[in-house]
């Protein structure tokens, strides 16, 4: 299970596509017949360093570009075990703030994240809760009652976050919902937004989460 890879990035991230083309050049003398024209299929890079070296350089460039495009390396479950992310959340609508910490524990088939939130979470009291998750290939799924946070229904595949909802947090009432947006996790930072919908058409609010991991 430790070789399963997580690539968690912003929702809707478009996969990068790489196109490698070969440039052709032709050197033609004034007195040469057309059939004697010499055509080279080597790129300027290949001419300077040799075909093998140019191919290796192109491969390294493509790998570096792919990492930059996703903004995240490949994280196995073993990399996550014991990882701690800490920071704070801020409700941008009402101006309230609180502490945040997430501690990852992993094992065969999944693991859990211990969440510790301070302040008036969803207008109620914060606290500590374990959020269990399971893995199926490249997909990670949270589907559990997280107490003061509500019912968590979240899924992540190899590149994007799928549905990510906290349903009916007790302090917000039946029919309320908090939807995770702009989720980004690369093993060094964990950031996200949260669109909060109050019960009975009671309005909306937006919170952000910012944390660093080690």
């Amino acid at each position: 299970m430790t070789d399963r890879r997580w690539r968690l990035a912003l929702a809707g991230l478009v996969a990068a596509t790489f196109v490698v083309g070969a440039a052709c050049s032709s050197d033609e003398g004034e007195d040469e017949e057309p059939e004697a024209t010499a055509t080279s299929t080597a790129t300027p890079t290949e001419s300077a360093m040799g075909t093998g070296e140019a191919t290796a350089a192109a491969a390294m460039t493509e790998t570096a570009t792919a990492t930059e495009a996703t903004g995240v390396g490949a994280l196995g479950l073993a990399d996550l075990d014991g990882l701690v992310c800490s920071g704070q959340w801020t409700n941008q609508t009402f101006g309230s703030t609180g502490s945040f910490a997430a501690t990852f524990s992993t094992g065969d088939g999944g693991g859990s994240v211990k969440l510790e939130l301070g302040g008036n979470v969803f207008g109620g009291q914060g606290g500590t809760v374990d959020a269990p998750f399971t893995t199926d290939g490249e997909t990670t799924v949270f589907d559990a009652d997280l107490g003061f946070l509500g019912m968590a229904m979240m899924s992540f595949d190899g590149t994007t976050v799928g549905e990510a909802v906290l349903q009916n947090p007790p302090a917000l009432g039946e029919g309320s919902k908090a939807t995770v947006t702009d989720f980004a996790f690369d093993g060094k930072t964990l950031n996200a937004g949260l669109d909060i919908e109050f019960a009975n058409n009671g309005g909306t609010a937006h919170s952000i989460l910012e944390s660093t991991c080690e």
Side-chain angles (χ1 to χ4, degrees):
M1 187 62 63
T2 58
D3 61 349
R4 289 180 176 172
R5 308 171 82 80
W6 281 16
R7 293 183 181 181
L8 311 183
L10 298 179
L13 180 69
V14 179
T17 302
F18 303 96
V19 179
V20 179
C24 297
S25 61
S26 176
D27 296 325
E28 187 175 327
E30 292 181 358
D31 298 330
E32 292 179 332
E33 295 296 329
E35 59 270 18
T37 299
T39 302
S40 172
T41 58
T43 65
T45 301
E46 291 172 347
S47 299
M49 66 175 64
T51 302
E53 293 175 335
T55 301
M60 287 189 293
T61 299
E62 181 172 329
T63 299
T65 305
T67 301
E68 181 179 354
T70 60
V72 44
L75 297 174
L77 287 178
D79 299 316
L80 294 174
D81 194 39
L83 185 71
V84 178
C85 301
S86 58
Q88 73 171 29
W89 60 267
T90 302
N91 187 310
Q92 296 181 314
T93 303
F94 299 111
S96 56
T97 64
S99 60
F100 167 85
T103 303
F104 293 83
S105 300
T106 65
D108 290 341
S112 67
V113 185
K114 179 182 179 182
L115 298 172
E116 301 173 79
L117 289 92
N120 295 322
V121 179
F122 296 143
Q125 185 176 358
T128 301
V129 64
D130 284 324
F133 63 84
T134 58
T135 58
D136 181 10
E138 294 284 342
T139 302
T140 302
V141 177
F142 291 84
D143 186 1
D145 185 349
L146 301 187
F148 67 96
L149 293 177
M151 183 70 187
M153 293 177 288
M154 307 180 188
S155 65
F156 307 97
D157 63 17
T159 56
T160 62
V161 53
E163 181 185 34
V165 174
L166 297 169
Q167 196 79 37
N168 300 322
L172 298 183
E174 189 72 20
S176 61
K177 181 174 70 172
T179 303
V180 178
T181 65
D182 299 332
F183 182 90
F185 175 50
D186 61 7
K188 295 181 179 179
T189 60
L190 191 163
N191 301 318
L194 199 66
D195 288 335
I196 303 167
E197 300 176 36
F198 297 99
N200 302 316
N201 297 317
T204 62
H206 183 72
S207 290
I208 58 171
L209 167 66
E210 297 175 306
S211 68
T212 57
C213 309
E214 59 183 5

